Amino acid sequence: MSQRAYNDLWADAQLELSRILAEEQPAEQPQPQKDRVVFFQRVAMLYVRYIQILRKLQKAHELIIHPQKRRAIRKVIDSVMGRVVELKNEMVEKEFLEYHYMDDILHDMKLTPDKLEIPLPQYFPNDHSKEVQERKAMLMKIFKMVEATESLEPSTEKEMTQEEAIRVIQVAERARQGRMRSKLYEESREASLRSTNAGIESTELAAICIQKVMDPKYLAPRPAEVALLAAEACTRLKQQEHEAAYQKAVVAVTIQLREMEGNNMSNTLKSQVREWFFKCRNVTGSFPDYPDEEDGGSAFIFAEKSPQQVLEEIAAKEDEASSNKSRGKEEQKEKRKPDKKMIDEQEEAGLKMHPSAFLSDLEGADKTFNDFWRSRDETENLSQKHDVELIKEERRKVVEDEIRVQVDEQMRQELAELKLSVDKDKGGKTKANTKKKKGSKSGKKKKKEKDLTADRTLESLCQELVEQGLLKQANDVRLQDYLGDFNYLGTTLRQNDIEPMPSLSDVRQVISLYAILPLGSQVVHEKAPLIKSILLVGPEGAGKKMLVHAVCQETGATLFDLSPLNTAGKYPGKSGLAMMVHVVFKVARLLQPSVIWIGDAEKMFYKKVPKEEKELDPKRLKKDLPKSLKLIKGEDRVLIIGTTEDPMSADIKSMCKMYNKILLIPRPDYGSRYIMWKELINQKGGETTKALDLSSLAKISDGYTPGHMVKAIQSVVTERRIRQQGSRPLTAAEFVTPLARIDPVFQEQEEALKNWYAKTPLGRKRVKAATGKEEEQPPVKGKGAKKKT
């Protein structure tokens, strides 16, 4: 396909985006929806449509080589991803479930289930600033250095005695003699076969031998696949070349604008500010106060307002800030005690969607595309290189802002001198401005977190964490490796009052929305509903740890391990514990995006610590970790992921306070098991022929997790068995014996996890909604609740 076709793909996505924006923001606001089912269907329809737009935009971004177009598309992608996360949050709040079933919507829209998968941008793993990339490279060097030092450490094994050495030599000699006998036997057997099968053609024998030995993993790719890979590599190379040329042009244009237009900009701004000084004096009789840097400085003055309006706004802001202090406590008390009448009125009014933080950005991007890119003539730009005039327009604003800051400093000084000279002419004494501005924050300041390692470099901190085993390399797995099929009967089961279990495909979608998209995009993490921590709950072998490593690989995140068993005996004492938490979170912010993994998360919140684990002190992080979690802000792309298979042994109240999202990971259903058997056997080198009844194998493996299936495949599909496939294909019966040695996930264990999840905050809401009971307001806890009137 040509670049013109990719531009058309972008245009199609923008056209669909324009339509959906018109529906989301009509001229007249729609009436609130009282029917919860109808409201959910509308939100789910928007959710599916935005995913299709996101898919097209990402395809266009991967293939278009024009650097400025790719930047424009990137902005739209970030906003669309954020809107998808917002709609997911709407569905969770209205349905009280983390997993949703949209098979009926896919049927109405004539879409296949794979279209519901969240497309993950390929630029996430490498989309970091130069500073972060240098830090990541430094971290890789530390990993290699620590591995090399560990391999060079002297072994602590005891020296071998003479008798033991003789015994080892004898064993080795007997094995050598056995190999020699086997070799002689094979040679004699081959000689006899040649004499008996002399009539068979040598080419046919060679083909049979090759078929027996050939491993599918080493088969050469097809010519079409080679051509596709070559085209993709060529596209990436052109993108890199055009991006490098664009960056050089940006630097050159910025320098040129400063030299050619900098003085004119400065003089124009100064004359405008002076004119504003005297206009204000003519209107009010005195010189105005210069706006603060926080308000925008001189940019606040020239926001298409008259001098009187500017002064009124400044005075109103000061009055509002001072009055907010006195009203703050009263408003907080009112918020803590919600009025029942207000709640009833809201319920009667109907359901509305929350205000979006991304719709305004989407509208701006849509307007930019329609005004500039849609009608742009590029017949002379066949190579799709950058546009210098467009760079000038963008950088001119940056240069203006830089000069505006300098001009503001000079004009503040000039205004102070003008006020001083006027006071002297009037004969008045100049009074020191000892009064504090109204609305200014006085006295109390927010306590900043103490930096316990201010005198240490990042490299030394990273090396210490790697040596202690708290900073690790993520395994090379992707989210697409977490196999699982779509739930085709979710809506049908619900219509028959049967709550379906989520499929592994649903798990992939939720992990993408809650973990990968916010960690991969700074815009999504700052504007979308903030998720600081996720708890993955599921039986052994469900793939919880694999999902943690997949999140790190998809986003290029740094992995920290604060599992209770991993931190046992490290950084002893209270001061050591505080130092460990401080160092981990400090390095996590500097190397963001970062994932802090807590394996066996239930141990941190044990109801009663088992005797055999008391020495490990698994609850030592119970107080310090939630405190550090509260300090994570929108600009910190740090996510805590806990995994547990026995949440019943933990205090559910403390655990739910720690984790924003709790995801129940089920055992795989029939469709997922069928896909897993097929894909995992092929990955191991096996062949799925007609002799291998995958349907029966998927049926009898009900109750087994993906980890159990991997163990069974590893024990059956060995190198020796792979070589025998030509004469003896794999059968389902071979996998029965290894499975029989493994205990499956029994129905009682699955029911226990379901019952536990029903006690979580979201689970309780779902139970009350299902039974038709109104949710009672919890008692208020805090300062206002201590005193009863």
Side-chain angles (χ1 to χ4, degrees):
M1 294 174 71
S2 63
Q3 289 295 309
R4 183 176 179 180
Y6 305 145
N7 291 332
D8 292 341
L9 182 64
W10 180 23
D12 290 342
Q14 290 288 159
L15 180 61
E16 179 62 22
L17 181 62
S18 301
R19 292 171 181 166
I20 201 169
L21 287 175
E23 293 179 17
E24 284 219 72
Q25 294 185 323
E28 296 182 1
Q29 290 296 327
Q31 294 294 326
Q33 181 59 248
K34 294 184 179 181
D35 191 338
R36 191 176 291 271
V37 176
V38 175
F39 180 83
F40 177 80
Q41 288 290 323
R42 179 176 179 270
V43 177
M45 185 72 75
L46 291 173
Y47 173 81
V48 175
R49 290 173 64 187
Y50 270 113
I51 290 177
Q52 307 317 307
I53 294 171
L54 180 61
R55 194 178 301 279
K56 290 181 180 179
L57 288 171
Q58 288 190 10
K59 189 69 174 176
H61 183 269
E62 292 171 8
L63 299 173
I64 287 177
I65 61 176
H66 195 294
Q68 288 155 311
K69 288 182 182 178
R70 298 183 79 239
R71 274 171 170 72
I73 297 172
R74 171 69 185 277
K75 290 180 181 178
V76 187
I77 288 176
D78 286 337
S79 299
V80 171
M81 287 191 300
R83 186 58 183 149
V84 169
V85 175
E86 284 181 338
L87 292 172
K88 174 67 177 180
N89 189 58
E90 290 280 354
M91 292 189 289
V92 171
E93 289 186 358
K94 300 304 183 292
E95 208 177 22
F96 308 121
L97 284 172
E98 297 290 359
Y99 301 103
H100 311 288
Y101 308 101
M102 305 177 189
D103 43 307
D104 55 337
I105 295 176
L106 292 178
H107 182 269
D108 294 340
M109 297 180 69
K110 301 189 185 323
L111 296 173
T112 54
D114 62 295
K115 299 298 181 184
L116 203 58
E117 292 283 344
I118 306 298
L120 301 178
Q122 294 183 0
Y123 56 78
F124 270 180
N126 301 317
D127 184 33
H128 307 302
S129 62
K130 290 183 179 179
E131 186 178 3
V132 175
Q133 288 178 0
E134 291 174 358
R135 292 171 181 171
K136 297 274 186 183
M138 175 265 295
L139 183 60
M140 294 305 297
K141 290 181 181 178
I142 292 174
F143 278 127
K144 292 179 181 178
M145 182 181 67
V146 172
E147 288 178 3
T149 53
E150 288 178 354
S151 62
L152 293 174
E153 286 181 0
S155 61
T156 57
E157 296 179 1
K158 296 180 180 180
E159 292 185 1
M160 192 180 297
T161 62
Q162 186 176 2
E163 293 179 358
E164 291 174 343
I166 293 171
R167 194 177 296 114
V168 170
I169 294 171
Q170 288 175 345
V171 170
E173 178 60 23
R174 288 167 187 158
R176 187 190 68 81
Q177 292 177 4
R179 287 194 297 272
M180 292 297 294
R181 293 193 202 98
S182 175
K183 187 177 179 182
L184 291 172
Y185 174 76
E186 288 292 333
E187 289 176 354
S188 62
R189 185 171 174 272
E190 288 177 3
S192 62
L193 284 173
R194 288 194 198 98
S195 61
T196 55
N197 299 328
I200 302 176
E201 295 182 1
S202 59
T203 54
E204 186 177 347
L205 281 172
I208 293 172
C209 292
I210 292 171
Q211 289 173 358
K212 287 181 178 180
V213 178
M214 182 61 72
D215 192 332
K217 291 186 288 186
Y218 301 107
L219 292 175
R222 299 174 182 175
E225 294 176 352
V226 174
L228 179 61
L229 293 174
E232 291 177 354
C234 182
T235 300
R236 286 194 295 269
L237 184 61
K238 287 183 179 179
Q239 287 174 350
Q240 293 172 2
E241 291 176 353
H242 288 194
E243 179 66 22
Y246 170 77
Q247 294 293 346
K248 290 181 181 178
V250 168
V251 175
V253 168
T254 305
I255 295 172
Q256 183 183 3
L257 288 173
R258 286 179 187 148
E259 294 176 352
M260 302 293 292
E261 302 180 15
N263 291 332
N264 292 335
M265 290 180 184
S266 178
N267 295 332
T268 303
L269 281 172
K270 287 179 181 178
S271 62
Q272 289 175 348
V273 173
R274 288 193 189 100
E275 185 180 354
W276 178 73
F277 288 166
F278 291 102
K279 278 185 179 180
C280 289
R281 190 189 178 204
N282 294 334
V283 173
T284 62
S286 63
F287 286 110
D289 292 331
Y290 209 92
D292 295 332
E293 292 182 9
E294 297 176 356
D295 297 329
S298 57
F300 182 76
I301 300 172
F302 305 113
E304 299 180 359
K305 298 171 185 174
S306 64
Q308 186 66 29
Q309 289 175 330
V310 173
L311 290 172
E312 289 175 357
E313 285 194 7
I314 293 174
K317 278 189 177 183
E318 292 176 353
D319 294 338
E320 185 180 353
S322 59
S323 61
N324 282 342
K325 288 184 179 180
S326 60
R327 281 184 279 173
K329 294 181 179 179
E330 297 177 1
E331 289 179 358
Q332 288 178 1
K333 290 180 181 179
E334 291 176 1
K335 287 179 181 178
R336 288 172 184 167
K337 298 180 180 179
D339 190 2
K340 292 183 179 179
K341 293 181 179 179
M342 293 286 291
I343 296 170
D344 294 337
E345 289 176 3
Q346 289 176 0
E347 289 180 354
E348 290 177 4
L351 299 171
K352 290 183 179 179
M353 284 197 288
H354 296 298
S356 173
F358 296 95
L359 284 179
S360 58
D361 296 338
L362 288 171
E363 285 184 342
D366 185 57
K367 187 177 183 302
T368 301
F369 176 79
N370 291 326
D371 294 345
F372 186 81
W373 292 108
R374 184 183 291 278
S375 58
R376 186 172 178 81
D377 183 15
E378 291 192 315
T379 54
E380 297 181 359
N381 189 15
L382 297 177
S383 60
Q384 291 292 292
K385 292 186 177 180
H386 60 268
D387 186 349
V388 178
E389 294 300 322
L390 185 58
I391 295 176
K392 286 184 178 179
E393 292 180 11
E394 294 173 352
R395 300 308 296 177
R396 189 174 280 113
K397 296 177 183 178
V398 176
V399 174
E400 282 181 0
D401 292 338
E402 292 175 358
I403 293 174
R404 189 184 298 279
V405 173
Q406 299 172 5
V407 170
D408 286 347
E409 294 178 0
Q410 298 173 6
M411 297 311 293
R412 282 193 186 92
Q413 184 66 28
E414 187 174 327
L415 179 61
E417 293 175 357
L418 284 172
K419 289 182 177 180
L420 188 64
S421 62
V422 169
D423 290 339
K424 285 183 179 179
D425 292 341
K426 289 182 179 179
K429 296 180 180 179
T430 59
K431 295 181 180 180
N433 188 14
T434 57
K435 294 182 180 180
K436 294 181 180 179
K437 288 186 179 180
K438 294 180 181 179
S440 62
K441 295 180 181 179
S442 60
K444 294 182 180 179
K445 294 183 180 179
K446 291 184 178 179
K447 292 183 179 179
K448 293 184 179 179
E449 185 184 2
K450 291 183 180 179
D451 191 355
L452 304 176
T453 55
D455 57 338
R456 295 186 58 183
T457 62
L458 176 62
E459 186 174 358
S460 66
L461 294 175
C462 290
Q463 185 170 350
E464 178 181 327
L465 291 177
V466 172
E467 290 173 351
Q468 292 290 338
L470 302 180
L471 181 55
K472 297 182 176 181
Q473 282 184 294
N475 297 338
D476 188 14
V477 292
R478 296 285 179 175
L479 192 63
Q480 63 184 6
D481 298 331
Y482 188 77
L483 303 172
D485 200 8
F486 182 75
N487 194 335
Y488 298 93
L489 298 175
T491 306
T492 305
L493 291 173
R494 279 197 175 172
Q495 289 173 353
N496 295 309
D497 296 330
I498 301 173
E499 187 61 35
M501 283 295 289
S503 67
L504 301 188
S505 174
D506 299 324
V507 175
R508 282 200 308 270
Q509 293 177 33
V510 173
I511 291 295
S512 299
L513 293 169
Y514 290 166
I516 296 177
L517 296 188
L519 281 178
S521 172
Q522 185 71 39
V523 176
V524 175
H525 197 272
E526 289 181 359
K527 292 186 175 182
L530 183 60
I531 298 174
K532 298 181 180 180
S533 54
I534 300 173
L535 179 64
L536 304 180
V537 182
E540 181 186 0
K544 302 181 291 295
K545 185 177 177 182
M546 179 183 179
L547 288 172
V548 175
H549 288 273
V551 170
C552 295
Q553 287 293 341
E554 295 289 355
T555 59
T558 311
L559 179 62
F560 298 84
D561 185 1
L562 287 184
S563 303
L565 296 180
N566 189 46
T567 58
K570 300 172 183 177
Y571 295 91
K574 289 185 177 180
S575 58
L577 182 63
M579 177 64 74
M580 178 179 70
V581 174
H582 168 76
V583 172
V584 167
F585 276 86
K586 178 180 179 179
V587 176
R589 287 187 178 95
L590 293 173
L591 296 177
Q592 61 178 293
S594 298
V595 171
I596 299 175
W597 173 48
I598 303 174
D600 298 325
E602 78 281 355
K603 295 181 184 295
M604 194 181 296
F605 303 98
Y606 264 146
K607 296 175 184 175
K608 185 178 179 181
V609 181
K611 292 181 180 179
E612 60 272 13
E613 295 186 20
K614 282 186 177 180
E615 294 182 0
L616 302 177
D617 193 11
K619 298 174 68 174
R620 63 194 298 241
L621 283 170
K622 183 179 179 180
K623 293 182 179 179
D624 289 339
L625 197 60
K627 290 178 182 178
S628 299
L629 182 64
K630 291 180 181 178
L631 299 175
I632 297 177
K633 300 177 181 178
E635 59 267 21
D636 302 325
R637 285 188 288 167
V638 178
L639 179 66
I640 294 178
I641 303 181
T643 58
T644 177
E645 59 189 58
D646 183 24
M648 290 75 72
S649 62
D651 179 29
I652 188 171
K653 189 176 180 181
S654 302
M655 184 176 278
C656 291
K657 282 183 180 179
M658 170 78 180
Y659 295 98
N660 300 126
K661 295 289 182 181
I662 299 176
L663 305 178
L664 185 62
I665 300 179
R667 55 188 175 86
D669 54 8
Y670 171 81
S672 297
R673 293 195 301 273
Y674 186 93
I675 291 175
M676 283 180 186
W677 282 116
K678 184 177 180 181
E679 294 296 328
L680 293 174
I681 289 173
N682 288 334
Q683 289 176 12
K684 189 64 178 174
E687 294 180 3
T688 52
T689 60
K690 292 181 179 180
L692 180 59
D693 190 354
L694 291 174
S695 180
S696 299
L697 193 56
K699 187 68 177 175
I700 64 173
S701 58
D702 186 15
Y704 290 94
T705 62
H708 298 155
M709 296 162 68
V710 169
K711 288 180 182 178
I713 292 171
Q714 288 175 346
S715 63
V716 173
V717 187
T718 59
E719 292 184 5
R720 181 171 177 271
R721 186 66 184 86
I722 290 172
R723 289 194 292 268
Q724 295 174 351
Q725 288 183 108
S727 58
R728 187 164 64 90
L730 289 171
T731 60
E734 296 180 64
F735 298 92
V736 174
T737 303
L739 283 176
R741 298 194 187 103
I742 304 171
D743 290 333
V745 179
F746 295 104
Q747 191 70 25
E748 294 80 7
Q749 185 179 354
E750 188 174 9
E751 289 298 326
L753 289 175
K754 285 183 184 179
N755 295 333
W756 178 87
Y757 186 78
K759 297 175 184 178
T760 62
L762 193 64
R764 290 199 304 268
K765 290 179 182 179
R766 179 63 186 174
V767 171
K768 289 178 181 179
T771 55
K773 295 179 181 179
E774 293 183 0
E775 186 179 356
E776 298 177 358
Q777 291 294 329
V780 180
K781 292 185 179 181
K783 294 180 180 178
K786 291 180 181 178
K787 296 180 181 179
K788 293 183 180 180
T789 55

